[in-house]
Every structure is written in structure tokens, then in C-alpha cells.
């Protein structure tokens, strides 16, 4: 427990060199999760490569007992922020949101991992919702101030300053950066000034294509407009985040799907499969009649359910006039749908923001695969 307290203190102070040997020593003394400690230190230091490698080690140590769960949640949240892992950020934000206003306490009080709002703020920022991030970082700082936990207040306000900068409020961000740097230096929080220097030297992208709730904020070439949500705008947002990458149209139809089906010209069901389906339907008809004759309504209902499922599958695999649908038909349907909604979105932008519409018209290609190919690097805030 003494080593755990020392580890927590060194981590909060950003004394990463002194932290390096502690997990091994703690493991020798019986600590059950040294990999978790190493991953957390890497994430707190903002070391992307080490975080990626050590997170796998920490994941291998799972599942975690109740006394370690808060520490593991913090580790995952910080890692998601460092790695820019949006799916993980969405999952963790939903998991941690119910505990807003509370603190993460592990190992019977031997480890305080700060206010939950601090980590959900990082997750919101990772997802590009900087308005929510400001609210959460503000709540985290106030909670720490009420407890007179100055290191955690400084930690929260350092991220709050970055969130203000991302929202395009450089004046407020600069004032907060200066205050945070002075306080962190006085307390010996070594990593905070370094983080501030890195954040202040990173310019905010001049162009924006970002959605808040049902409204998109679009900024390009110094002009800004706001437009209601549409599928075409979501397609464009997906492509702008992957410049130079060919994205199958079927992927845009289901952008959250982990695996995109590879559509070819093969039929969904060949003649052999359809014959087997029809043979089974004949068997089911006979079995249903027999069960009904015996008064076995339960079995009849079960068989009827199977029959309905088979009929649905046959209908799904057939097009007009009972012709077998082919997987290539699905690809063509995706191409037409995605192309139409992207073109419609750009057409509507022509009146609201003609410069942006011209840029998208010149750089977005549509078809079976869609892509964004700007002639010069064009950074976006997404």
C-alpha cells in the first residue's frame, strides 16, 4: 500500500522517470496488476506508442476485481484520449456518465484517480464535442476546488484551457494556460507545463466540419455557416477525416460496422440452396399438418416459426419477378444512394457556402468507392 501511494503521488506529479521501476518492485511485493500501472503511466505521459503497447498488457490482466475497477476505467479513458480511439471513447463515455460528480477511488482509498468528470471531459474532447468537454472540465475543477485538491484542479483546468482553444476562444485559453502553468510549477507538477507548451504551439485547424446535436458548423476559407443534419453531410464528414483513402460506398451506408462486406456478382442463394430451402418447406408443411392433427399446438407453432423464417430468407434473396438477387445489386444500390445524398448535400451548400461547395465538388469523388483528394493538405476540425 505504501508503494501504491508513492506510485500515485509520482504519477500525479508527472515524475515518470522515477515511476519506471516501481511496478516491477510492486509486482515482487505481491501487487497483482503491474501492467495496469505501466499503461496508466504511459497514458498520463501522453506517450502514444507506449500506451498502445502497454494497454494490451493491461487488457491481458483483466478482468479486474472491484477494488481495481476504477483504476482500470481511468486507464482506458486516458488511453482512448491519447490514441484518439473514438469507438472506445464513445463506449467509455456512456459507461462513466452515470457517475458524473463522483470521484474514482481504488484500493480501499490508496489511489484517488480524480473526478469522473475529468475523464469524461477527455473522452468528449476525443469525440470532438468541445462544448461538452468545457462543461465537464469545469465541473471537475470545481469539484477538486471544493475538496481543496489543488493538483487535480490544475489537471482539470489544463485540459479546460485546451478545450477553450479548440472552441476558438484563444483569449480565455491563454489566460488559463498562464495560470495553470504558474500553479503547476509551484506544486512541482512537472508534466503540466510541458503539456501546456505542446497545446499552445498546436494551431487550431482553420477549417471546420463538425456536428453538434442536429446542426453542422461548417467553416472554410474564412466563411462559416450552419446547416441541419443530413446523411450526405455525414458521408462528407467521414471522407474528410480520411483524405486520400478510397472508402467503399457500402461502408458509408454503415459507417459504424466493424467489417464491410465485400460485394461481388455472386447470387445470395444458388439453385442448390434454393432447392434445399423448398424441400425443407415441404417437410415443414407436412409436419405442421401432422402436429395440428394430433392437437400439439406448441410443436405446430414452433414449426410455423421456422417456416416463416425460411420464407423471409427466400424473399430477401429474390428480386423482381422472383429473380435471384445478386450481391452486386447491393453494391450498386449503395453506389446510387451514397452518390445521390453526397451530391444533394453539396448542391444545397452551393447557396449557403459556395466556396466550400466548390472545394468539395473538386475534391470529392463518388461511385462504388468514394474519396476526398485535396490538391494540398487541408486540415479540418471534425
Amino acid at each position: 500500500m505504501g508503494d501504491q501511494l508513492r506510485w500515485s503521488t509520482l504519477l500525479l506529479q508527472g515524475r515518470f522517470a522515477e515511476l519506471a521501476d516501481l511496478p516491477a518492485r510492486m509486482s515482487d511485493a505481491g501487487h497483482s496488476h503491474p501492467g495496469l500501472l505501466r499503461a496508466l503511466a504511459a497514458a498520463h505521459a501522453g506517450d502514444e506508442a507506449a500506451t498502445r503497447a502497454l494497454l494490451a498488457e493491461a487488457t491481458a490482466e483483466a478482468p479486474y476485481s472491484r477494488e481495481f475497477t476504477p483504476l482500470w476505467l481511468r486507464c482506458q479513458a486516458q488511453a482512448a484520449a491519447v490514441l484518439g480511439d473514438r469507438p472506445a471513447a464513445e463506449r467509455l463515455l456512456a459507461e462513466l456518465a452515470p457517475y458524473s460528480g463522483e470521484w474514482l477511488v481504488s484500493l480501499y482509498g490508496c489511489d484517488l484517480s480524480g473526478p469522473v468528470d475529468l475523464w469524461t471531459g477527455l473522452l468528449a474532447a476525443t469525440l470532438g464535442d468541445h462544448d461538452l468537454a468545457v462543461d465537464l472540465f469545469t465541473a471537475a475543477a470545481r469539484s477538486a476546488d471544493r475538496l481543496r485538491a489543488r493538483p487535480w484542479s490544475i489537471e482539470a483546468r489544463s485540459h479546460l484551457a485546451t478545450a477553450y482553444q479548440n472552441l476558438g476562444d484563444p483569449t480565455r485559453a491563454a489566460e488559463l494556460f498562464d495560470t495553470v502553468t504558474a500553479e503547476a510549477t509551484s506544486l512541482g507538477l512537472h508534466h503540466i507545463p510541458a503539456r501546456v507548451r505542446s497545446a499552445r504551439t498546436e494551431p487550431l485547424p482553420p477549417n471546420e466540419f463538425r456536428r453538434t446535436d442536429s446542426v453542422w458548423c461548417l467553416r472554410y476559407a474564412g466563411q462559416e455557416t450552419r446547416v441541419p443534419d443530413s446523411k450526405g453531410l455525414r458521408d462528407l464528414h467521414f471522407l474528410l477525416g480520411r483524405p486520400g483513402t478510397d472508402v467503399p460506398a457500402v461502408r458509408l451506408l454503415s459507417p459504424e460496422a466493424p467489417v464491410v462486406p465485400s460485394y461481388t456478382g455472386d447470387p445470395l442463394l444458388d439453385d442448390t440452396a434454393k432447392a434445399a430451402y423448398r424441400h425443407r418447406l415441404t417437410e415443414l408443411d407436412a409436419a405442421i399438418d401432422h402436429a395440428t392433427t394430433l392437437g400439439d399446438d406448441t410443436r405446430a407453432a414452433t414449426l410455423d416459426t421456422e417456416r416463416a423464417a425460411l420464407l423471409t430468407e427466400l424473399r430477401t434473396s429474390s428480386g423482381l419477378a422472383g429473380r435471384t438477387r445478386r450481391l452486386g445489386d447491393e453494391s450498386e444500390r449503395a453506389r446510387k444512394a451514397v452518390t445521390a445524398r453526397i451530391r444533394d448535400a453539396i448542391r444545397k451548400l452551393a447557396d449557403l457556402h459556395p466556396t466550400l461547395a466548390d472545394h468539395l465538388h473538386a475534391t470529392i469523388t463518388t461511385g462504388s468507392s468514394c474519396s476526398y483528394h485535396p490538391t494540398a493538405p487541408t486540415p479540418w476540425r471534425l
Side-chain angles (χ1 to χ4, degrees), residues 160-226:
L160 176 60
T162 301
Y164 279 134
Q165 182 171 265
N166 289 336
L167 278 176
D169 191 344
T171 301
R172 186 179 294 184
E175 293 175 353
L176 197 50
F177 276 138
D178 290 340
T179 301
V180 163
T181 299
E183 291 186 31
T185 301
S186 70
L187 289 185
L189 306 182
H190 303 277
H191 62 300
I192 300 290
R195 179 193 298 159
V196 168
R197 286 192 297 271
S198 175
R200 295 182 95 161
T201 56
E202 183 179 348
L204 183 68
N207 309 308
E208 182 173 7
F209 207 106
R210 186 170 64 96
R211 180 169 65 96
T212 302
D213 296 327
S214 60
V215 177
W216 287 86
C217 177
L218 311 180
R219 185 174 66 250
Y220 179 75
Q223 180 185 347
E224 182 175 313
T225 188
R226 295 180 183 273

Side-chain angles (χ1 to χ4, degrees), residues 114-178:
V116 170
D117 291 331
L118 170 59
W119 310 121
T120 52
L122 273 181
L123 297 170
T126 301
L127 295 170
D129 192 342
H130 301 294
D131 291 298
L132 176 59
V134 164
D135 292 341
L136 292 168
F137 289 140
T138 300
R142 288 175 177 168
S143 179
D145 288 337
R146 284 195 297 271
L147 289 176
R148 299 183 182 180
R150 288 185 64 201
W152 285 110
S153 175
I154 294 170
E155 184 75 35
R157 285 183 286 130
S158 71
H159 292 293
L160 176 60
T162 301
Y164 279 134
Q165 182 171 265
N166 289 336
L167 278 176
D169 191 344
T171 301
R172 186 179 294 184
E175 293 175 353
L176 197 50
F177 276 138
D178 290 340

Side-chain angles (χ1 to χ4, degrees), residues 32-376:
S32 54
H33 297 297
L36 173 59
L37 304 184
R38 282 189 282 264
L40 251 173
H44 201 60
D47 187 332
E48 182 176 344
T51 298
R52 191 180 304 279
L54 293 170
L55 181 63
E57 180 183 347
T59 302
E61 293 181 358
Y64 290 91
S65 57
R66 182 176 180 181
E67 59 267 24
F68 280 97
T69 297
L71 205 60
W72 173 229
L73 285 170
R74 173 194 172 181
C75 178
Q76 293 178 87
Q78 285 197 266
V82 170
L83 301 176
D85 188 340
R86 292 178 60 89
E90 291 176 352
R91 172 179 60 81
L92 290 161
L93 185 59
E95 190 170 348
L96 286 168
Y99 303 101
S100 178
E102 300 181 16
W103 283 53
L104 294 177
V105 181
S106 307
L107 297 167
Y108 315 105
C110 283
D111 182 273
L112 296 180
S113 284
V116 170
D117 291 331
L118 170 59
W119 310 121
T120 52
L122 273 181
L123 297 170
T126 301
L127 295 170
D129 192 342
H130 301 294
D131 291 298
L132 176 59
V134 164
D135 292 341
L136 292 168
F137 289 140
T138 300
R142 288 175 177 168
S143 179
D145 288 337
R146 284 195 297 271
L147 289 176
R148 299 183 182 180
R150 288 185 64 201
W152 285 110
S153 175
I154 294 170
E155 184 75 35
R157 285 183 286 130
S158 71
H159 292 293
L160 176 60
T162 301
Y164 279 134
Q165 182 171 265
N166 289 336
L167 278 176
D169 191 344
T171 301
R172 186 179 294 184
E175 293 175 353
L176 197 50
F177 276 138
D178 290 340
T179 301
V180 163
T181 299
E183 291 186 31
T185 301
S186 70
L187 289 185
L189 306 182
H190 303 277
H191 62 300
I192 300 290
R195 179 193 298 159
V196 168
R197 286 192 297 271
S198 175
R200 295 182 95 161
T201 56
E202 183 179 348
L204 183 68
N207 309 308
E208 182 173 7
F209 207 106
R210 186 170 64 96
R211 180 169 65 96
T212 302
D213 296 327
S214 60
V215 177
W216 287 86
C217 177
L218 311 180
R219 185 174 66 250
Y220 179 75
Q223 180 185 347
E224 182 175 313
T225 188
R226 295 180 183 273
V227 296
D229 186 27
S230 72
K231 291 181 179 179
L233 290 173
R234 296 187 187 192
D235 295 334
L236 290 169
H237 178 268
F238 194 90
L239 295 174
L240 292 180
R242 296 158 179 79
T245 302
D246 289 334
V247 179
V250 292
R251 176 70 185 276
L252 292 171
L253 283 181
S254 304
E256 303 303 324
V259 177
V260 179
S262 177
Y263 290 138
T264 66
D266 296 331
L268 290 174
L269 286 179
D270 59 21
D271 291 341
T272 301
K274 285 193 289 186
Y277 272 55
R278 293 191 178 103
H279 178 69
R280 179 57 180 161
L281 284 172
T282 301
E283 290 180 338
L284 287 171
D285 287 337
I288 291 170
D289 290 341
H290 182 65
T292 302
T293 300
L294 296 177
D296 191 346
D297 294 338
T298 300
R299 175 161 176 73
T302 300
L303 294 169
D304 192 59
T305 299
E306 182 183 349
R307 182 179 185 277
L310 287 176
L311 286 172
T312 299
E313 182 67 21
L314 277 172
R315 293 190 191 101
T316 301
S317 66
S318 298
L320 295 174
R323 291 192 300 269
T324 299
R325 280 177 49 201
R326 306 181 76 83
L327 289 171
D329 298 337
E330 299 302 303
S331 179
E332 177 65 10
R333 185 174 290 106
R335 182 191 69 79
K336 290 181 178 179
V338 170
T339 297
R341 63 199 201 188
I342 287 178
R343 288 179 178 175
D344 183 63
I346 295 176
R347 179 181 58 79
K348 290 178 179 178
L349 283 175
D351 294 330
L352 300 171
H353 199 320
T355 307
L356 174 58
D358 289 344
H359 173 73
L360 295 174
H361 182 75
T363 56
I364 295 288
T365 60
T366 58
S368 297
S369 290
C370 304
S371 61
Y372 171 56
H373 286 276
T375 56

